[in-house]
Amino acid sequence: MEVIASLDRVDSGIAMKLISIILCSLALAVCGSASAQRGCGGYGGLSEEVCLVSHLRLIANPEQYDGKLVKFISVLEDLDGNHFRLYYSTEAMRIQTPQDAIVLEGDIKDFINRAKVKNGDWVSIVGRFTQMTGNEIQGIYLGAVRDVVSIAPGH
């Protein structure tokens, strides 16, 4: 009841968005690993399987995709030209909750430049997802993408 009472003090539009985000996250969290595996297969001539997954599924179930090549669409946040984060929506990027972000690691500036994408653009990314365990320097995030294979505009 305290949550509902505190929502009365929040703008109703923002409250509805937050409730929608929470419900989507909960719905994705109950999906089993068997259904997650159905989205993995050959991709672009790579010898390793690539899992087609949503950003929300990655942050809801990071352990299911730890160490796997994944393909997903997210909103790119360019922090300083060298450091980048991915969010599941432009609204999530505006709110800036670290647990909603996935960090891009490694030297990816060439990928960004070739794709001609900028801050706030939707991007399609293929790379190796790594679950953050809290032992990393950036432990406030739930995951990172390393070994990027491609970045393209996400339509």
Side-chain angles (χ1 to χ4, degrees):
M1 291 306 283
E2 288 180 37
V3 172
I4 293 172
S6 66
L7 287 177
D8 289 336
R9 294 186 293 264
V10 177
D11 177 88
S12 62
I14 293 173
M16 290 306 296
K17 288 179 184 176
L18 290 173
I19 290 170
S20 296
I21 291 169
I22 291 168
L23 291 175
C24 286
S25 296
L26 289 173
L28 290 174
V30 298
C31 294
S33 62
S35 64
Q37 292 302 319
R38 282 187 234 132
C40 300
Y43 176 82
L46 296 174
S47 60
E48 189 174 339
E49 283 190 333
V50 175
C51 298
L52 302 177
V53 64
S54 73
H55 183 113
L56 283 173
R57 187 175 299 277
L58 283 172
I59 61 176
N61 302 296
E63 66 284 347
Q64 289 182 3
Y65 300 96
D66 188 37
K68 295 182 180 178
L69 282 178
V70 295
K71 179 183 181 195
F72 62 103
I73 295 175
S74 289
V75 177
L76 177 72
E77 181 184 31
D78 183 345
L79 297 172
D80 60 10
N82 291 309
H83 299 91
F84 303 89
R85 291 188 293 214
L86 300 166
Y87 286 91
Y88 59 84
S89 71
T90 53
E91 182 70 14
M93 186 176 95
R94 187 184 68 74
I95 294 171
Q96 297 273 314
T97 304
Q99 293 83 2
D100 293 337
I102 295 174
V103 178
L104 283 175
E105 293 187 341
D107 187 14
I108 60 162
K109 285 194 309 188
D110 287 340
F111 287 103
I112 300 289
N113 292 335
R114 278 191 301 250
K116 297 181 180 165
V117 292
K118 61 188 182 321
N119 189 58
D121 284 351
W122 285 91
V123 296
S124 174
I125 183 160
V126 178
R128 188 167 312 282
F129 181 78
T130 304
Q131 178 183 2
M132 299 294 215
T133 62
N135 296 327
E136 297 85 355
I137 293 172
Q138 300 177 6
I140 57 174
Y141 302 104
L142 294 176
V145 174
R146 302 174 175 150
D147 304 330
V148 171
V149 174
S150 74
I151 296 177
H155 301 284

